[in-house]
Amino acid sequence: MTDTAHTPTKNQDFRADPAFEATRALLRAAQRIAVMSGAGMSAESGVPTFRDAQTGLWSNCRPEDLADERAYRQRPGWVWDWYMYRREQLKTVKPNAGHIALAEFQQRHPQRLTLMTQNVDRLHQAAGSTGVLELHGNWVDDRWLDPCPKTPACPVSRAAPGSPPRCPECGHLLRPDIVWFGDSLPAQVLAEAERASLACQVMLVIGTSGVVYPAAGLPIAAQHMGAAVIIINPAPTELDRIARHLLRYPSAQVLPALLDDI
Ligand code: BV8
């Protein structure tokens, strides 16, 4: 049940917000804490959120229409170039104070925190977080779009440069090792994320619109098991209805103080 009495006004300082101290008290008492982050976690690192208006060549595309195998098979170069454009962006960005606060908290309490992310930018790992559950893959790795009939274990390093790179033997395409819409999530990762969501006493849900499933179902499962779900997001989300508290602040601003000395 959302503690609506404490839905703060826009310009209120978060330290004066009763939901801030209430959340700190819940975190202090929690043995197991789960965190799920979305694109908003990286917004203050300069990474456009997933539903920010697309730019440049893809300005009139919805991400859901690009992050999709069918789109890739129809226009491999177009989709591959979108990923190359995003990869170039990600090479220049750094973790923000929110990523660092979570990594430092995990270093202080290695057994208490499980971090799962919908993001592919690896900024949590760059900040020092370990054991990060990447629900939607990562921007670094590639894999074959189709298994090679002749050499099933063909290494991706064999791909000849191109847009996209192809196997010189069989012509098969590489694809980013990212979970596209319509792809199942990595089973092991999702199972671990589900376990952590069902076992936690507090779940911080940071920087996600709560639109994409099955990831958005994890906080719902946690709340069903009695966990306090805390949403950290300057804007309303699809998950607000299950929140114990809403911290309507940018994550890089509020996380360092929220986790300080806990
Ligand atoms: C699946 C990788 C089983 C790609 C992503 C029809 C057919 C098949 C499936 C479906 C279907 N219809 C619906 C589905 C399910 C579908 C789905 O959920 N669709 C949605 C659009 C309704 N899900 C799937 O397809 C999943 N697979 O279900 O498999 C299956 C298989 C076949 C058939 C049926 C079922 C796979 C989903 C994974 C897709 N891949 N990412 C890539 O990156 O290129 S998802 C993508 O969305 C990103 O990972 C992103 O993280 C994620 C969620 O978005 P958000 O993170 O929330 O980002 P968003 O921009 O939306 O919001 C940012 C938030 O940050 C905002 O709220 C903003 O206010 C806030 N913010 C901004 N600044 C800050 C901030 N917060 C804090 N601080 C700030 N400073």
Side-chain angles (χ1 to χ4, degrees):
M1 182 56 195
T2 305
D3 191 349
T4 45
H6 300 310
T7 305
T9 53
K10 273 231 180 306
N11 53 7
Q12 185 179 356
D13 168 33
F14 56 75
R15 284 183 180 75
D17 181 346
F20 176 77
E21 274 310 325
T23 299
R24 279 174 58 82
L26 288 166
L27 288 168
R28 274 190 212 99
Q31 279 315 302
R32 282 189 292 268
I33 299 166
V35 175
M36 184 172 86
S37 67
M41 180 84 218
S42 302
E44 287 153 286
S45 294
V47 182
T49 67
F50 204 67
R51 279 164 193 78
D52 272 349
Q54 294 302 316
T55 54
L57 292 173
W58 302 273
S59 53
N60 59 351
C61 299
R62 291 184 326 143
E64 289 89 341
D65 301 330
L66 288 160
D68 172 281
E69 183 177 319
R70 195 179 41 249
Y72 190 61
R73 288 187 186 277
Q74 282 165 356
R75 299 181 72 180
W78 175 254
V79 175
W80 179 265
D81 289 349
W82 180 55
Y83 279 97
M84 290 309 103
Y85 167 73
R86 288 172 63 196
R87 276 181 179 169
E88 283 315 303
Q89 277 187 322
L90 290 175
K91 281 179 186 162
T92 60
V93 299
K94 297 273 181 284
N96 60 51
H99 295 107
I100 292 165
L102 283 172
E104 289 174 350
F105 182 88
Q106 183 192 38
Q107 281 144 23
R108 294 197 299 273
H109 306 283
Q111 304 309 319
R112 284 175 70 194
L113 185 126
T114 301
L115 173 57
M116 57 196 87
T117 186
Q118 300 172 87
N119 299 339
V120 298
D121 58 30
R122 291 218 150 152
L123 287 178
H124 284 299
Q125 292 92 329
S129 288
T130 56
V132 179
L133 299 175
E134 293 182 321
L135 299 169
H136 295 160
N138 68 80
W139 68 276
V140 177
D141 301 326
D142 292 325
R143 59 183 166 89
W144 295 114
L145 177 61
D146 299 304
C148 177
K150 284 184 285 184
T151 41
C154 178
V156 292
S157 55
R158 178 171 294 172
S163 179
R166 286 179 183 272
C167 172
E169 302 282 308
C170 65
H172 277 177
L173 296 175
L174 272 189
R175 59 158 285 178
D177 194 14
I178 278 180
V179 179
W180 281 336
F181 289 96
D183 288 349
S184 298
L185 276 59
Q188 182 61 35
V189 170
L190 183 57
E192 226 175 300
E194 283 166 345
R195 262 197 305 277
S197 303
L198 296 174
C200 69
Q201 285 84 44
V202 175
M203 186 170 201
L204 301 180
V205 179
I206 307 169
T208 181
S209 54
V211 165
V212 172
Y213 283 81
L218 295 168
I220 296 171
Q223 193 260 349
H224 278 165
M225 295 301 286
V229 171
I230 313 292
I231 290 183
I232 300 175
N233 192 321
T237 83
E238 292 294 317
L239 294 170
D240 287 4
R241 69 188 189 288
I242 63 159
R244 179 80 62 85
H245 295 298
L246 297 170
L247 293 174
R248 287 230 192 285
Y249 307 98
S251 48
Q253 281 182 34
V254 70
L255 277 171
L258 189 70
L259 300 174
D260 181 31
D261 195 22
I262 289 222

